[in-house]
Amino acid sequence: MPIIPPIQDISEVLKNHKLSKEDYEQIKKILSREPNLLEIAIFSAMWSEHCSYKSSKKYLRGFPTTAPWVIQGPGENAGVIAIGQGYGAVFKIESHNHPSFIEPHAGAATGVGGIMRDIFTMGARPVASLDSIRFGEAYKDDAIGKLHRYLLRGVVAGIGDYGNCMGVPTIGGESSFEDCYNGNILVNAFTLGIVKESEIFYGKASGIGNPVIYVGSKTGADGLGGAVMSSDSFTQDSKSLRPTVQIGDPFSEKLLLEACLELFKKDLIVGIQDMGAAGLTSSSFEMAGRSGSGMVMHLDKVPMRESGLGPYELMLSESQERMLICAKKGCEKEVMAIFQKWELDAEIIGEVTNSGHMELFWQGEKCAEIPIAPLSENAPVLDREVQKPAYLGTLNQKCFIPTQASQQEIFETLLGSIEVCDKGWIYSQYDGSVGTNTIVGSGRGDASVIRVRENDSFLAMNVYCNPRYCYLDPKEGAKIAVSTAGRNCVLRGAKVLAISDCLNFGSPENPEVMWQFQEACAGIKEACEILQTPVVSGNVSLYNQTDGKDIYPTPTIVAVGLIQDKIIEAGLKQTGNQIVLLGDVGLDFGGSLIQKIFQGECSGKAPQIDLKKEARLWALLLEAIADGLVVSAKDIGKGGLGMALAKMALLGEKGVRVKTSFDKNKGMNTPKEMIFAESQSCIVVEISPQNLVRLNELAQIYQITTTLLGEVLDANEGIEIDFIKMGLPRAKEIFFNSFQTKLHLTPAPHLD
């Protein structure tokens, strides 16, 4: 019986592997012959949207990726920035959307496991995680609501179980619920690690004769074809794809982490690569490709956990907790001894050559040979059709008129909305304090903060995207995503150094989606250039489409900043202090929360952002914090000024009194518009009365408007904003209980 079954129907094979006839002709040209089934599968995986970025690559090339503090930009497992005293922060955000919709617990868990491996593969110990999760209408009492509550429970449990078992704190995140995610949920996972600059490892395989060693868990058939599955749209039959979802084991990954970190302390290896999407195929081809070398692998030597696996399954399996190592010749026994000590498999399965080809053998017989450089260099880069969406012509012309409801009714409704209210049901299932380095964790507003013991500094990080803004104006929405993620770090006192992006979009075969993608990339580029926040890592997730319905464009951004001195929090601190607005509130209601809740649609024009003004606002705030002027700070986001002030009061357990007595001749701001508009580049700060003059002086230098809004009160005086009055106990009840109540969720299993 032949090692690789003969191809009976090439049309059917190409269809099953998501390859076109043009792809097949290109493969034959590269090989100078007809490919066999295994070779077709390898090309299919490496040329999938998930691995090759064939639809998106042309738009990503313009991103700013360098700065004096950037050690490693895109192209490796993760990005690295210098954070002082010879240390670097290693970080990346990545998607696991399709698998999490098919099997929520396993999909979310392996998403977390995969991103953690990307970090410790670079030599870093993971120290913090964030998540960005988006669901459909889970609040409804119908089949959709029931499904998405099930998905929510599974995803949150999967994230918590994996992160908790790994001993890596999940310290923050975001969630949203929109009907566009009814057929495609989004699960984006971010991890950050700390490494010595002199001990960073890369995914390369060089040095003729150096051994290639497989380490970690055994290979099974789980996750088979996962990269290809993640590069296609869903239909109602997609639940049948469960076998393509990987099954993770966090306890094995914990052993793998410790074994790798022990390995890195010794001069034994040339490079190391995680077996992520496309498994052994991507790891081997990428390592050899980066080094311009060749490789021989004997697939029958791969550790297997089940019988019946052959070359096809072993090259395409996405079993978890596995690494590929290029060791230094003569160091094989030492490398293998480390992994055996940690009770992990370790086998020499090949070696580096100078052929420039990947040669695969099974029981001594060659079963595939592919030139490595042409496989990656000649991967199709598609120039897909781009067309501005027809829906924008109608939606952008609509003008939302603030509801006739009273300020009080609007305030209570927004405070209890699932977009604004506390998500304790979610984050209480995550261990946010393991490692004892978490300074500001989940539920405390805006960016999270960890201590970096190694150099006595602090890192702030925040994940953000408003998909409604991006639906109405992808470019402006993406600019706002970069700005808000960064602004939230600045609110903590951090200088923002870099971002990682996860670009979640619909089907690239839809010209309107490609227009959205093009515009969002242009927005990210512009924002990063002006705000000086290079993109150092990221991920693209396309084909988030079910039965022809695409998700809203969702370019999720994580910003990371360095705090050298003071950490500022969002909760009000001192009775008698003054509350000051930095920035200008306008008539920004397109895509707003008040519009979604009271009008039931997403229309109008998205808020516009002046990036140069945003940069000046960051500089003003950092100088004011350094001068000791700022006691607490919060930006205006979902629900506008009213929700920002309410959160500051609730987080600080203080009362607040604010009067929005604005001159109508300067912008026609009525009190209702002032309180609930979602204007950009606006921050609320708490200061001592004696510091108001100095703050105004600084603001004039940076050309930022200041407005004295009110003062901090004792907790028993509650919240008072114009005609809104609410006692703190009532506000707490609404804010902290609404999420669980509105989504009909049973109490979460809290950590001990």
Side-chain angles (χ1 to χ4, degrees):
M1 183 175 178
I3 304 169
I4 306 299
I7 297 173
Q8 301 295 336
D9 183 346
I10 187 62
S11 297
E12 188 68 18
V13 168
L14 294 177
K15 177 183 176 183
N16 291 340
H17 289 82
K18 305 295 187 295
L19 289 170
S20 66
K21 291 181 180 179
E22 291 77 17
D23 292 333
Y24 184 60
E25 293 302 317
Q26 183 65 29
I27 292 169
K28 289 196 295 182
K29 185 176 180 182
I30 290 172
L31 297 178
S32 299
R33 57 175 171 80
E34 297 280 343
N36 63 29
L37 184 62
L38 175 58
E39 291 165 336
I40 285 177
I42 289 170
F43 274 95
S44 169
M46 294 301 291
W47 285 3
S48 68
E49 198 72 63
H50 193 77
C51 292
S52 74
Y53 289 19
K54 57 188 176 185
S55 296
S56 58
K57 190 177 291 184
K58 63 178 285 189
Y59 300 108
L60 304 178
R61 288 173 178 154
F63 284 179
T65 59
T66 60
W69 53 85
V70 174
I71 298 172
Q72 175 64 53
E76 269 290 342
N77 288 293
V80 190
I81 58 172
I83 59 172
Q85 298 182 34
Y87 284 91
V90 182
F91 57 90
K92 184 183 180 183
I93 184 170
E94 197 162 73
S95 63
H96 225 223
N97 303 333
H98 286 60
S100 299
F101 186 77
I102 296 168
E103 190 60 66
H105 187 284
T110 51
V112 172
I115 196 64
M116 286 186 182
R117 287 195 303 279
D118 283 342
I119 302 309
F120 69 77
T121 298
M122 302 287 292
R125 178 176 288 279
V127 295
S129 291
L130 306 173
D131 62 80
S132 173
I133 53 179
R134 303 181 191 277
F135 301 89
E137 298 166 294
Y139 43 84
K140 286 194 169 181
D141 294 320
D142 57 12
I144 287 290
K146 183 177 180 181
L147 168 64
H148 281 267
R149 289 192 290 276
Y150 158 77
L151 293 171
L152 172 65
R153 285 191 291 266
V155 165
V156 171
I159 292 170
D161 288 351
Y162 211 102
N164 297 346
C165 291
M166 284 294 293
V168 179
T170 301
I171 62 172
E174 65 166 348
S175 61
S176 64
F177 299 83
E178 302 283 350
D179 63 357
C180 71
Y181 303 117
N182 281 344
N184 284 85
I185 66 172
L186 301 185
V187 176
N188 296 172
F190 168 89
T191 295
L192 179 144
I194 303 299
V195 68
K196 284 186 177 179
E197 290 184 31
S198 59
E199 297 178 1
I200 298 171
F201 286 82
Y202 299 96
K204 59 184 180 180
S206 59
I208 299 169
N210 278 339
V212 175
I213 305 176
Y214 172 115
V215 301
S217 297
K218 289 180 169 63
T219 295
D222 56 312
L224 194 62
V228 177
M229 176 272 291
S230 293
S231 304
D232 199 11
S233 298
F234 276 171
T235 66
Q236 292 300 323
D237 299 324
S238 292
K239 286 292 181 182
S240 64
L241 296 172
R242 273 196 173 90
T244 64
V245 178
Q246 312 91 328
I247 305 300
D249 178 0
F251 298 106
S252 294
E253 177 137 333
K254 177 63 173 173
L255 296 176
L256 185 61
L257 163 63
E258 299 300 338
C260 286
L261 293 180
E262 181 177 332
L263 173 72
F264 296 153
K265 294 177 182 177
K266 302 179 181 181
D267 187 22
L268 302 176
I269 70 172
V270 174
I272 182 170
Q273 179 76 23
D274 164 44
M275 293 189 209
L280 186 55
T281 290
S282 62
S283 57
S284 57
F285 275 87
E286 288 173 7
M287 290 182 78
R290 290 184 186 122
S291 306
S293 57
M295 190 179 290
V296 168
M297 289 200 298
H298 300 275
L299 299 179
D300 51 298
K301 295 183 179 180
V302 172
M304 302 173 223
R305 68 166 181 259
E306 55 190 281
S307 61
L309 300 181
Y312 185 99
E313 292 80 12
L314 295 171
M315 286 300 290
L316 275 295
S317 168
E318 295 185 8
S319 294
Q320 297 293 285
E321 294 86 39
R322 305 178 301 158
M323 296 280 191
L324 197 63
I325 290 172
C326 177
K328 294 182 177 180
K329 195 168 185 177
C331 298
E332 299 93 323
K333 290 184 179 179
E334 288 182 81
V335 171
M336 294 171 70
I338 290 172
F339 288 92
Q340 288 162 1
K341 166 191 164 183
W342 289 95
E343 300 181 352
L344 295 164
D345 283 285
E347 294 289 343
I348 299 172
I349 65 169
E351 65 179 40
V352 178
T353 69
N354 63 355
S355 68
H357 286 217
M358 181 66 66
E359 300 173 76
L360 304 178
F361 290 82
W362 179 259
Q363 297 178 351
E365 185 177 339
K366 186 180 289 187
C367 53
E369 181 174 355
I370 299 174
I372 293 169
L375 173 64
S376 55
E377 290 174 5
N378 292 343
V381 177
L382 303 180
D383 188 16
R384 293 191 183 274
E385 184 183 350
V386 173
Q387 179 180 317
K388 187 174 181 178
Y391 70 79
L392 289 178
T394 302
L395 290 185
N396 286 165
Q397 291 174 7
K398 287 190 176 183
C399 180
F400 173 67
I401 301 173
T403 174
Q404 296 302 307
S406 68
Q407 287 185 352
Q408 186 77 23
E409 182 184 348
I410 298 170
F411 180 85
E412 291 193 20
T413 302
L414 296 185
L415 187 63
S417 69
I418 59 174
E419 297 248 8
V420 169
C421 69
D422 180 74
K423 310 300 188 301
W425 186 92
I426 294 176
Y427 64 75
S428 65
Q429 298 185 56
Y430 306 153
D431 191 337
S433 59
V434 62
T436 68
N437 289 317
T438 304
I439 305 300
V440 180
S442 299
R444 290 167 65 179
D446 307 317
S448 303
V449 180
I450 61 163
R451 168 181 53 183
V452 181
R453 292 176 185 262
E454 291 83 353
N455 66 357
D456 197 29
S457 67
F458 303 89
L459 288 173
M461 58 202 79
N462 181 251
V463 57
Y464 179 84
C465 180
N466 188 316
R468 292 192 301 276
Y469 294 170
C470 295
Y471 179 64
L472 296 175
D473 189 334
K475 184 175 182 179
E476 210 66 27
K479 286 157 61 174
I480 290 172
V482 173
S483 301
T484 304
R487 186 190 315 136
N488 285 336
C489 292
V490 175
L491 287 167
R492 295 292 189 225
K495 175 179 170 55
V496 183
L497 297 179
I499 71 162
S500 183
D501 60 51
C502 192
L503 308 180
N504 308 274
F505 287 76
S507 171
E509 296 169 32
N510 179 349
E512 294 187 347
V513 169
M514 287 313 300
W515 182 86
Q516 293 172 338
F517 191 88
Q518 169 190 278
E519 291 296 294
C521 287
I524 292 171
K525 176 184 177 183
E526 184 179 343
C528 289
E529 286 176 343
I530 293 175
L531 299 174
Q532 298 181 46
T533 56
V535 181
V536 298
S537 60
N539 171 244
V540 175
S541 174
L542 300 178
Y543 286 102
N544 292 290
Q545 179 199 71
T546 295
D547 295 330
K549 183 174 181 180
D550 297 291
I551 64 166
Y552 287 172
T554 313
T556 304
I557 304 294
V558 176
V560 176
L562 181 64
I563 303 173
Q564 297 283 14
D565 191 8
K566 301 178 180 68
I567 298 172
I568 302 300
E569 293 201 44
L572 297 173
K573 295 291 187 293
Q574 182 63 50
T575 301
N577 276 350
Q578 294 179 323
I579 296 172
V580 178
L581 173 68
L582 304 179
D584 303 286
V585 173
L587 303 176
D588 297 295
F589 288 101
S592 66
L593 183 57
I594 186 175
Q595 179 195 59
K596 175 184 176 180
I597 292 175
F598 285 92
Q599 190 169 329
E601 67 175 35
C602 178
S603 63
K605 290 188 176 181
Q608 304 293 293
I609 187 164
D610 180 340
L611 291 169
K612 292 182 179 179
K613 177 182 177 182
E614 181 76 20
R616 297 197 307 272
L617 180 65
W618 291 13
L620 165 61
L621 189 58
L622 288 177
E623 186 168 346
I625 290 171
D627 286 355
L629 306 182
V630 178
V631 178
S632 69
K634 182 88 180 68
D635 77 325
I636 291 181
K638 295 174 185 175
L641 175 63
M643 293 303 101
L645 291 168
K647 287 184 178 181
M648 293 179 80
L650 288 163
L651 293 171
E653 296 198 25
K654 289 287 183 183
V656 62
R657 180 183 294 122
V658 162
K659 295 293 183 184
T660 60
S661 53
F662 271 54
D663 186 346
K664 290 188 177 183
N665 294 322
K666 296 181 180 179
M668 301 300 290
N669 286 311
T670 67
K672 191 181 294 183
E673 291 160 345
M674 172 66 192
I675 296 170
F676 302 115
E678 296 179 6
S679 302
Q680 295 302 302
S681 305
C682 288
I683 290 174
V684 179
V685 296
E686 174 193 358
I687 63 170
S688 298
Q690 64 268 24
N691 290 329
L692 181 60
V693 172
R694 175 57 182 154
L695 180 64
N696 285 333
E697 290 173 350
L698 277 179
Q700 282 188 328
I701 294 171
Y702 289 102
Q703 302 171 53
I704 299 294
T705 304
T706 62
T707 305
L708 179 60
L709 294 176
E711 62 180 327
V712 180
L713 307 175
D714 288 332
N716 58 12
E717 298 193 61
I719 298 170
E720 184 179 328
I721 308 170
D722 282 351
F723 302 108
I724 299 165
K725 291 187 178 180
M726 183 177 290
L728 221 54
R730 173 61 177 156
K732 285 182 179 180
E733 180 185 352
I734 295 172
F735 183 69
F736 289 107
N737 295 336
S738 291
F739 188 78
Q740 185 173 312
T741 300
K742 292 189 174 182
L743 270 65
H744 314 295
L745 298 167
T746 55
H750 290 252
L751 296 168
D752 293 331

